[in-house]
């Protein structure tokens, strides 16, 4: 009996790991989630994949200095403090997201979400998706413009703090999901391809209350290649 | 038909300097609060029976709101009610005194202990929301609500509150929410809190 339970747990973890390995491996290629690729505890703030001023004029270096240097760093630090001496101490970030609740979940998910967000953006991003991703978007949303419109709409109307995601389900169907606060689609069995952070700290210095303007700017930074790689994973 | 309107502030935008800066106050009032008012009015369009009710009255019985507009009324009615409650509750140089001060000291041990618990509740609230001192069946309690939820929806009467949406403090305090909470205690209008407390008793 014990053995069965243990086996079940191992299988669950292996499943999660396998499910995530694709996007994680890809991320590791561009040295994004080094801590995840090694399946070791999330002990360090992952390096930003570009300079803090690289997203100007759409997102300022000042915003990045707080968003990455303070907010993201605080989530990593809080997580490390909170998991010390708990069952999560030596677990991967994804395992913690899938199994923890309360403060540990919030800080683990925010650690993951921000790393994923930095990689959803790039200097000179934007333009149009290509290849298989473009086809999948057309097939599931009608057109790229329709997709962008409905993603923007979801991002503009999410009430409070949270995230908007392009995700794929297990049948590779694409949908747009909103999650409140630290929410992460992995807990619903959905694989993120792209995300947009709509916590006010993501845009308040640059856009004040005008969230819609920030979302408009987002389309000039979006890294379709990152989404393509996640779709293929 | 009544439509909801943005209340004017009982002071200038710079009246709470240096604790709350004029720029934040102006955007908070003219943009954020105004948007809640506009969206509440938009939600109530075509619902004549609800248009004469105050935002608090709507929030007190959310189950009576048609499902199609319930979330909008909860969010934007809450945003309107919370901010309308908040502005007059802010003023510099008002001493902690009167019946509510006595009741707080009695309930929490001392002003310092109350301030400590209230501050840590506000600092730990994850995401956007408010922290409140409420009367709950005659007893003072500190509660946190997410987003724009108002304690009246849970049958509690707020007597004091702090907005911890990032828009309330980001231009001046950025990620340092605890500094903003510390500053807040310099602008609590305890006269107003006493009025709210007496009315709720």
């Amino acid at each position: 009996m014990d053995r069965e339970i243990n086996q079940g747990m191992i299988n669950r973890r292996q499943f999660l790991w396998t499910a995530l390995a694709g996007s994680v491996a890809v991320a590791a290629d561009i040295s994004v989630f080094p801590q995840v690729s090694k399946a070791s505890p999330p002990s360090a703030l992952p390096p930003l994949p570009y300079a803090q001023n690289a997203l100007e004029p759409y997102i300022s270096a000042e915003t990045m200095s707080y968003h990455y240097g303070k907010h993201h760093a605080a989530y990593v630090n809080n997580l490390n403090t909170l998991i010390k001496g708990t069952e999560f101490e030596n677990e991967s970030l994804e395992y913690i997201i899938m199994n923890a609740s309360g403060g540990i979940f919030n800080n683990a998910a925010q650690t993951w979400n921000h790393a994923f967000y930095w990689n959803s953006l790039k200097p000179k991003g934007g333009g149009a998706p290509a290849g298989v991703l473009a086809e999948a978007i057309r097939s599931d949303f009608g057109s790229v413009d329709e997709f962008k419109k409905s993603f923007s709409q979801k991002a503009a109307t999410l009430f409070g703090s949270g995230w908007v995601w392009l995700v794929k389900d297990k049948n590779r169907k694409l949908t747009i999901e909103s999650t409140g606060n630290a929410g992460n689609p992995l807990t619903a069995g959905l694989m993120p391809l792209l995300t947009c952070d709509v916590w006010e700290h993501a845009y308040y210095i640059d856009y004040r209350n005008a969230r819609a303007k920030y979302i408009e700017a987002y389309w000039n930074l979006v890294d379709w290649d990152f989404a393509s790689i996640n779709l293929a994973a | 038909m009544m439509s909801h309107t943005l209340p004017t502030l009982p002071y200038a935008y710079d009246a709470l300097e240096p604790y709350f800066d004029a720029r934040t106050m102006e955007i908070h009032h003219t943009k954020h609060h105004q948007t809640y008012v506009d969206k509440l009015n938009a939600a109530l369009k075509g619902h004549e029976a609800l248009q004469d009710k105050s935002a608090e009255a709507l929030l007190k019985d959310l189950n009576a709101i048609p499902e199609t507009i319930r979330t909008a009324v909860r969010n934007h009615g809450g945003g309107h009610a919370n901010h309308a409650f908040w502005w007059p509750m802010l003023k510099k140089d008002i001493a902690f005194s009167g019946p509510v001060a006595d009741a707080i000291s009695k309930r929490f041990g001392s002003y310092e202990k109350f301030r400590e618990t209230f501050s840590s509740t506000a600092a730990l609230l994850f995401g956007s929301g408010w922290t409140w001192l409420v009367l709950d069946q005659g007893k003072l309690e500190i509660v946190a609500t997410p987003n724009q939820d108002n304690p009246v929806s849970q049958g509690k009467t707020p007597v004091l509150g702090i907005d911890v949406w990032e828009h309330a403090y980001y231009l001046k305090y950025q990620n340092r929410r605890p500094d903003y909470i510390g500053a807040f205690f310099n602008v609590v209008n305890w006269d107003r809190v006493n009025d709210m407390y007496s009315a709720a008793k």
Side-chain angles (χ1 to χ4, degrees), chain A residues 26-49:
Chain A
V26 163
D29 283 347
I30 46 174
S31 54
V32 178
F33 299 115
Q35 79 282 20
V36 172
S37 65
K38 284 183 227 141
S40 63
S43 54
L45 181 66
L48 200 61

Side-chain angles (χ1 to χ4, degrees), chain B residues 4-129:
Chain B
H4 296 272
T5 54
L6 183 69
T8 43
L9 291 197
Y11 42 72
Y13 289 123
D14 65 359
L16 307 175
E17 294 265 12
Y19 307 109
F20 289 7
D21 62 292
R23 191 172 50 153
T24 294
M25 291 297 291
E26 183 168 1
I27 298 172
H28 201 170
H29 180 240
T30 62
K31 304 291 185 186
H32 292 279
H33 191 171
Q34 181 71 61
T35 302
Y36 294 125
V37 169
D38 294 345
K39 290 193 171 175
L40 174 62
N41 285 329
L44 295 176
K45 209 173 216 175
H47 297 270
E48 276 77 15
L50 300 175
Q51 290 172 354
D52 291 328
K53 291 183 189 272
S54 69
E56 286 81 5
L58 296 169
L59 297 167
K60 269 183 189 159
D61 191 7
L62 283 170
N63 286 329
I65 309 293
E67 222 179 315
T68 49
I69 60 165
R70 194 177 297 153
T71 301
V73 168
R74 176 179 169 181
N75 290 344
H76 304 299
H80 177 35
N82 294 349
H83 287 89
F85 172 86
W86 208 46
W87 307 124
M89 208 206 64
L90 302 173
K91 197 173 181 181
K92 274 199 297 196
D93 304 323
I94 305 291
F96 175 73
S97 64
V100 81
D102 296 342
I104 285 173
S105 301
K106 204 171 149 193
R107 169 74 180 87
F108 299 98
S110 66
Y111 170 73
E112 287 70 27
K113 281 188 181 147
F114 157 71
R115 184 176 157 155
E116 207 177 286
T117 310
F118 187 91
S119 298
S120 76
T121 304
L124 290 171
L125 189 157
F126 192 76
S128 301

Side-chain angles (χ1 to χ4, degrees), chain A residues 41-59:
Chain A
S43 54
L45 181 66
L48 200 61
Y50 33 73
Q52 293 201 0
N53 64 359
L55 304 181
E56 293 196 341
Y58 305 110
I59 295 177

